[in-house]
């Protein structure tokens, strides 16, 4: 069975494609879900793609993901800039988290320059539109394919003579 990645989308992202195309592009959230599922097939990941306008629902989904999902990719929408509850839930999940934003937060208003989500994230992609989701899934595939967290007991290799450092 392929490992499953939870792709979460926060408030108002269900409106994509209908308004503000100059900022968020013309794709709908359903288009982005399809892109993610295609990328998932190519990368051997099952994609569980969800959106909610409710902070509580998002927190609940993150809590349920612990021990069941391989990682979380999140575009928390405006909650990115306000929600310590989402941050705490992401930290408690103990899962690798990647953060994505369609727009370039740093070309926008000052209040979008700070992200609580980033404190829980391995990395963040912003400003690349829907392509950012695909790039983040590629990164996630590498992260979840990494060696297990338990450190190897194998002895470190001794460097060949003449190449030793003091
Ligand atoms: O750039 C992103 O992906 C954001 O997470 C989008 C959020 C915004 O609050 C963040 O600062 C950056 C807003 C999503 C709302 O999307 C709309 C789409 C169409 C019409 C109205 C809102």
């Amino acid at each position: 069975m392929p490992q499953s990645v939870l792709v979460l989308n926060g408030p108002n992202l269900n409106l994509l494609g209908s308004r503000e195309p100059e900022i968020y592009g013309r794709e709908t959230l359903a288009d982005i879900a399809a892109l993610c599922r295609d990328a998932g097939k190519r990368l051997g990941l099952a994609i569980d793609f969800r959106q909610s306008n409710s902070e509580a629902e998002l927190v609940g989904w993150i809590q349920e993901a612990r021990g069941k999902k391989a990682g979380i990719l999140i575009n928390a929408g405006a909650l990115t800039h306000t929600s310590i509850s989402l941050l705490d839930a992401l930290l408690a999940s103990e899962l690798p988290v990647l953060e994505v934003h369609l727009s370039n937060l740093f070309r926008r208003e000052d209040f979008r320059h700070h992200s609580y989500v980033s404190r829980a994230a391995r990395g963040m992609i912003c400003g690349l539109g829907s392509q950012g989701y695909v790039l983040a899934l590629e990164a996630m595939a590498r992260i979840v394919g990494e060696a297990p967290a338990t450190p190897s007991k194998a002895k470190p290799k001794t460097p060949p003579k003449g190449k030793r450092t003091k």
Side-chain angles (χ1 to χ4, degrees):
M1 263 236 298
Q3 305 200 76
S4 179
V5 174
L6 183 60
V7 181
L8 287 183
N9 295 277
N12 297 310
L13 285 159
N14 54 315
L15 299 178
L16 283 177
S18 64
R19 272 173 280 146
E20 304 200 56
E22 64 292 347
I23 302 177
Y24 299 118
R26 294 200 179 274
E27 283 163 301
T28 64
L29 197 62
D31 294 331
I32 297 176
L35 270 182
C36 288
R37 291 198 184 97
D38 283 351
K41 272 184 203 141
R42 176 167 55 83
L43 297 165
L45 298 173
I47 304 298
D48 185 355
F49 193 97
R50 302 183 194 193
Q51 187 274 334
S52 178
N53 292 327
S54 152
E55 184 174 16
E57 189 162 42
L58 291 162
V59 167
W61 286 340
I62 294 167
Q63 289 182 3
E64 284 167 18
R66 187 169 182 269
K68 295 195 187 110
K69 302 292 182 185
I72 300 175
L73 194 159
I74 183 164
N75 180 353
L79 291 174
T80 302
H81 319 297
T82 61
S83 178
I84 299 171
S85 307
L86 271 187
L87 168 62
D88 287 344
L90 290 167
L91 291 171
S93 76
E94 296 182 319
L95 290 169
V97 173
L98 293 177
E99 178 181 4
V100 178
H101 298 281
L102 295 160
S103 62
N104 181 345
L105 302 181
F106 303 100
R107 294 184 75 172
R108 303 187 64 192
E109 305 94 323
D110 286 356
F111 63 82
R112 296 189 205 271
H113 296 183
H114 176 263
S115 164
Y116 284 104
V117 169
S118 288
R119 290 191 72 103
R122 298 259 189 125
M124 192 260 256
I125 296 175
C126 75
L128 299 180
S130 58
Q131 195 197 0
Y133 282 70
V134 174
L135 293 171
L137 284 173
E138 286 171 3
M140 186 65 85
R142 284 174 186 245
I143 291 167
V144 305
E146 273 173 8
T150 36
S152 158
K153 289 194 178 130
K155 269 190 172 178
K157 274 193 191 143
T158 316
K161 271 190 184 165
K163 298 226 169 170
R164 288 191 192 181
T165 50
K166 279 183 189 170

